[in-house]
Amino acid sequence: MGCCDVPGLMPLEDAQQKLLAGIQPVTDTLTLPIADAVGYVLAEDIRSPLNVPPFDNSAMDGYAVRRDEVMANQPLPIAGRSMAGSPFDEPWPSNTCVRIMTGAQIPSGCDAVIMQENATVSDAGVTFNETELKANQNIRPIGDDIRQGDLALAKGTRLTARDIPMIATLGMATVMVLRKPIVAFFSTGDELQPLGNELAAGQIYDSNRYGIKALIEQFGCEPLDLGIIPDNPKQLTATFMHAQQAADVVLTSGGVSVGEADYTKDILGQLGEINFWKLAIKPGKPFAFGTLPNAWFCGLPGNPVSAFITCYVLVQPLLAKLAGHTQWQPPITIPAITRSGFKKSPGRTDYQRAIYYIENGQFVVESTGNQSSGAFRSMSLANCFVVLERERGRVEAGETVNIELFNASISA
Ligand code: AMP
Ligand code: MG
């Protein structure tokens, strides 16, 4: 045990390893039109069936020439035109030039294009005031971008808007992708009401389920919303049984603490196996992970900030692996000077909510306020986490801290 290990709390790094250890990516595939494939993971390498560009073409509007025919004050008559989409395909007499537009095919024998800004047109032809010509200047050669057979996109890439024009360039109308993992989720708690209902005494709105659904979608998975389940062991057991049949992962919020109505962990123990429960992370200590007969299980704490952060920090990499998104990378961490102090005692890795900005070329960061695990506003206002190491104590303004920038799943 290290200096700051708390008995019974698993260090975050150990938990992150355990969460990924047994996960195998989904294997079922489907074929989708490319415009519908954003957010899906490629099931196979995409190799280019053609050269891109497919022919030598002009990078400029100007004149196609043979370099040894270009001399100062010697006009070359125009033999014809090569336009984008309609090449010049007649014989090309010597000592003439061809009018050419950007993207148009280079006439055979041409070894340079002179931009029109360096040319003067008269009745006698075109006179060039650029005569020191480089071989193949302003010519984009066949295969310059991608050669036939090259790897354009690797299996395991999660497709974004960036990838769609790339695939379209290759002439591919459809792609083979992996199916999205299904994540069944529900909230537990007698106090919870769905949006739209009036709140009676002691009740609150179920905010976690809406946030968790959004995260599941952002992580590239398919959400299966099983609603709010009261703190009733029979109903919880039935819901677990149904969820683990219908989904790859079952995700719950609430009921994993040690309160009198916290049944989730016991039920998991009866139906499946608990891998770990209780982490050295703040917020989010009562995070549970295990297996059900037919699905993985992640139990998020009920407190809204804890639920959201553990879903982002711990569940996201698991779902990326399950989705086959092999190119997923953890969020970026960089040092910054803090303008606020942060309360902290050694023992747990702390994810405090903050805003970073750049001042005189230096990253600085400031707390977004109330850091209670039930106070979501500081999460909503943040654009980064201040990640305070397990062994660290209180942090004073002016100290250097590590900030973790939000990745695309929770930032604009
Ligand atoms: P629990 O983990 O069930 O003991 O819940 C811890 C705290 O989180 C309590 O204050 C709950 O009322 C609150 N909570 C639990 N589930 C939700 C939820 N789905 N939405 C908002 N707050 C919740
Ligand atoms: Mg509860």
Side-chain angles (χ1 to χ4, degrees):
M1 207 187 260
C3 80
C4 308
D5 290 343
V6 176
L9 294 190
M10 178 175 290
L12 183 56
E13 305 74 39
D14 297 359
Q16 282 167 322
Q17 274 186 7
K18 278 181 182 283
L19 278 161
L20 298 181
I23 303 289
Q24 295 296 331
V26 295
T27 52
D28 299 338
T29 61
L30 62 159
T31 298
L32 291 177
I34 63 167
D36 299 337
V38 172
Y40 283 85
V41 172
L42 281 182
E44 55 182 7
D45 286 345
I46 294 189
R47 291 194 172 274
S48 180
L50 40 77
N51 287 304
V52 181
F55 50 88
D56 294 347
N57 70 93
S58 179
M60 293 283 177
D61 295 332
Y63 297 89
V65 298
R66 289 171 286 228
R67 284 188 300 156
D68 58 7
E69 295 175 355
V70 176
M71 273 163 257
N73 306 316
Q74 292 252 8
L76 297 179
I78 298 175
R81 295 149 67 83
S82 182
M83 311 295 284
S86 56
F88 172 78
D89 53 8
E90 298 140 52
W92 184 9
S94 55
N95 291 310
T96 63
C97 63
V98 174
R99 180 77 169 120
I100 194 163
M101 297 297 152
T102 304
Q105 186 167 338
I106 299 292
S108 140
C110 161
D111 60 1
V113 169
I114 301 175
M115 60 199 279
Q116 62 190 27
E117 290 80 350
N118 292 338
T120 314
V121 184
S122 66
D123 290 346
V126 188
T127 311
F128 298 104
N129 50 21
E130 179 186 15
T131 49
E132 299 276 303
L133 304 177
K134 289 199 207 89
N136 301 316
Q137 70 173 39
N138 299 324
I139 296 176
R140 302 189 287 213
I142 179 170
D144 188 36
D145 186 4
I146 299 177
R147 299 210 143 267
Q148 187 174 11
D150 275 359
L151 183 65
L153 284 168
K155 173 180 173 171
T157 301
R158 184 161 173 229
L159 297 174
T160 70
R162 271 184 302 128
D163 301 307
I164 304 307
M166 183 73 268
I167 302 170
T169 302
L170 310 181
M172 301 173 71
T174 59
V175 281
M176 200 200 275
V177 295
L178 295 171
R179 78 165 170 90
K180 292 185 174 183
I182 300 169
V183 183
F185 62 105
F186 55 91
S187 294
T188 69
D190 289 340
E191 76 279 30
L192 302 176
Q193 285 295 312
L195 303 184
N197 284 14
E198 287 289 317
L199 295 181
Q203 295 183 330
I204 58 169
Y205 287 118
D206 170 15
S207 60
N208 289 350
R209 195 158 46 94
Y210 301 90
I212 288 165
K213 175 170 188 277
L215 285 175
I216 291 169
E217 286 172 342
Q218 292 292 329
F219 298 160
C221 298
E222 215 164 277
L224 175 62
D225 188 348
L226 299 179
I228 299 168
I229 310 300
D231 293 314
N232 169 314
K234 266 208 178 110
Q235 264 178 281
L236 284 166
T237 303
T239 309
F240 265 111
M241 288 311 289
H242 163 63
Q244 61 97 34
Q245 285 295 347
D248 300 286
V249 177
V250 178
L251 198 51
T252 62
S253 90
V256 277
S257 290
V258 287
E260 283 176 14
D262 292 333
Y263 300 114
T264 307
K265 184 184 139 260
D266 293 344
I267 293 172
L268 177 67
Q270 287 156 23
L271 298 182
E273 235 172 84
I274 300 168
N275 187 314
F276 62 80
W277 173 62
K278 283 198 175 180
L279 288 188
I281 180 176
K282 187 180 180 200
K285 180 173 69 174
F287 175 90
F289 172 61
T291 49
L292 290 156
N294 215 27
W296 299 97
F297 168 75
C298 295
L300 308 176
N303 273 308
V305 182
S306 314
F308 195 83
I309 290 182
T310 51
C311 192
Y312 177 83
V313 173
L314 298 163
V315 181
Q316 180 173 199
L318 182 154
L319 293 182
K321 187 167 183 193
L322 189 63
H325 184 196
T326 52
Q327 302 189 2
W328 186 84
Q329 293 194 331
I332 294 167
T333 299
I334 50 171
I337 306 284
T338 181
R339 293 267 183 265
S340 335
F342 289 99
K343 269 198 253 170
K344 166 86 166 71
S345 31
R348 295 198 261 162
T349 308
D350 210 338
Y351 281 75
Q352 307 239 7
R353 282 71 71 200
I355 287 203
Y356 78 84
Y357 46 93
I358 296 170
E359 211 176 73
N360 304 324
Q362 163 81 55
F363 279 93
V364 292
V365 67
E366 221 168 276
S367 166
T368 45
N370 185 352
Q371 298 284 332
S372 151
S373 61
F376 204 82
R377 199 154 85 102
S378 63
M379 180 71 236
S380 157
L381 292 173
N383 65 5
C384 70
F385 293 119
V386 169
V387 181
L388 300 176
E389 302 77 5
R390 197 151 45 107
E391 63 279 11
R392 199 155 176 179
R394 192 191 151 74
V395 171
E396 304 296 345
E399 286 186 36
T400 299
V401 293
N402 282 323
I403 60 172
E404 185 179 298
L405 309 185
F406 291 167
N407 69 15
S409 67
I410 56 170
S411 80

